[in-house]
Amino acid sequence: QVQLVESGGGLVQAGGSLRLSCAASGRTFSSYTMGWFRQAPGKERDFIAVISRGGGSDYYADSVKGRFIISRDNAKNTVYLQMNSLKPEDTAVYFCAADVSPWNFYKESYYSPAKYGYWGQGTQVTVSS
C-alpha cells in the first residue's frame, strides 16, 4: 500500500549537517503520520522524531532535540530530517516510517516502532570524530 524510500545518508564529520529525505508512494501521503527512527549495531531501533499529517505537530527524542528538524512537503510526498551539529553517537541506519492512523496527542505512542505500519529500508549515516 505504501512504499517508502530514504535517501541522503552518507559520511560526515562531527559538527556537520545532513538532510535525509523519505519519498513515499501513494495519493494519501498527507493522511499519514510520519516518523524517523535509527538503529545502531547491536542496539534497538530508537525513535527520533514524528510529524503530524499537516506538519502542525511534531516532537523529538531528547537526544536530538534542538539539533534535528523534521518537516514534510505533502505536495512532493516527502518527509525530511535535517540533522545539524552531528555527533559520532548519531551514527546509525536511519529509517522513515508511516502510521496511517489519525494523529493523537499521546505522544508516547509514537516512540514504539509497532505504531508504524510501513517502513523504508534505511539509509546509513556515519559521523566521524
Side-chain angles (χ1 to χ4, degrees):
Q1 182 180 355
V2 180
Q3 295 185 67
L4 305 173
V5 180
E6 302 95 337
S7 62
L11 176 65
V12 65
Q13 293 281 343
S17 298
L18 283 174
R19 187 183 71 172
L20 305 184
S21 299
C22 175
S25 66
R27 299 170 63 186
T28 56
F29 175 77
S30 62
S31 297
Y32 306 154
T33 298
M34 299 297 299
W36 285 97
F37 289 74
R38 68 187 182 188
Q39 188 167 21
K43 296 186 177 180
E44 70 275 11
R45 188 169 298 186
D46 290 331
F47 167 79
I48 298 300
V50 64
I51 189 167
S52 61
R53 64 183 70 182
S57 299
D58 56 20
Y59 72 93
Y60 300 85
D62 288 342
S63 60
V64 306
K65 192 176 300 182
R67 299 189 298 124
F68 291 10
I69 302 171
I70 188 171
S71 62
R72 67 192 297 161
D73 186 340
N74 288 343
K76 296 182 178 180
N77 279 18
T78 302
V79 63
Y80 305 95
L81 186 69
Q82 178 67 46
M83 305 185 295
N84 301 315
S85 301
L86 283 162
K87 306 173 181 179
E89 50 263 47
D90 295 319
T91 295
V93 177
Y94 283 70
F95 300 88
C96 68
D99 172 27
V100 301
S101 300
W103 175 265
N104 68 70
F105 294 96
Y106 300 99
K107 63 180 182 181
E108 292 81 7
S109 67
Y110 293 104
Y111 290 138
S112 174
K115 176 67 171 170
Y116 303 82
Y118 301 93
W119 293 85
Q121 291 191 326
T123 185
Q124 176 71 45
V125 172
T126 303
V127 184
S128 61
S129 60

